[in-house]
Amino acid sequence: MSAVAIAFTPSGGPTYNFVFDNFVDGTYPRSYVSSANFDISALGTAILTGPAYQQKRIWAINALLPLDQVDDFDSMYRAWDLARSQGTAVALGFTDTTLGATISTTVVFSTPPTYSKFGPNYVTIAFGVTEL
């Protein structure tokens, strides 16, 4: 099953766990932060620059969430944002099984969630996370 899962436990708070497997479109939500650059010198030599670590992955999630889970997801985001604003640890656990081998990593929100009604029982949720 192609899915992404996200989990967060704020200090002294409840544990939040969500699985997204009903994506709005057929695209995979994973891509990479473009931090490496390719160029050609004046003499025609290939020049490859960038940081001395692998490029980080980013996920743009656009999925359906059951209406009864929306408040919990929003509570998780608010708890994460409060922890971030107070300077405490804000890593979210993240698992991706959408393409190839399973990826388990830690992420942070890079785009806050937005919500749109999708029929009587679902909400479309869109948000972004970036690998640490």
Side-chain angles (χ1 to χ4, degrees), residues 6 8 73 76-78 80-81 84 90 92 107-113 125-130:
I6 190 167
F8 181 63
F73 190 89
M76 179 187 71
Y77 177 76
R78 287 192 325 269
W80 174 87
D81 194 43
R84 178 208 53 80
V90 293
L92 301 130
V107 298
V108 293
F109 281 104
S110 48
T111 305
I125 183 170
F127 64 95
V129 294
T130 300

Side-chain angles (χ1 to χ4, degrees), residues 1-5 19-23 29 94-99:
M1 171 168 87
S2 291
V4 295
V19 175
F20 298 95
D21 59 2
N22 195 356
F23 300 105
F94 194 82
T95 303
D96 179 354
T97 62
T98 59
L99 180 64

Side-chain angles (χ1 to χ4, degrees), residues 52-74:
Y53 55 83
Q54 287 187 301
Q55 296 183 82
K56 302 294 184 180
R57 291 175 279 238
I58 56 175
W59 287 266
I61 309 297
N62 192 6
L64 297 179
L65 186 64
L67 191 59
D68 62 351
Q69 293 182 20
V70 173
D71 285 341
D72 288 340
F73 190 89
D74 199 57

Side-chain angles (χ1 to χ4, degrees), residues 6 16 24 28 35 85 93 95 98 107 122:
I6 190 167
Y16 298 97
V24 174
Y28 292 111
S35 56
S85 71
T95 303
T98 59
V107 298
Y122 287 92

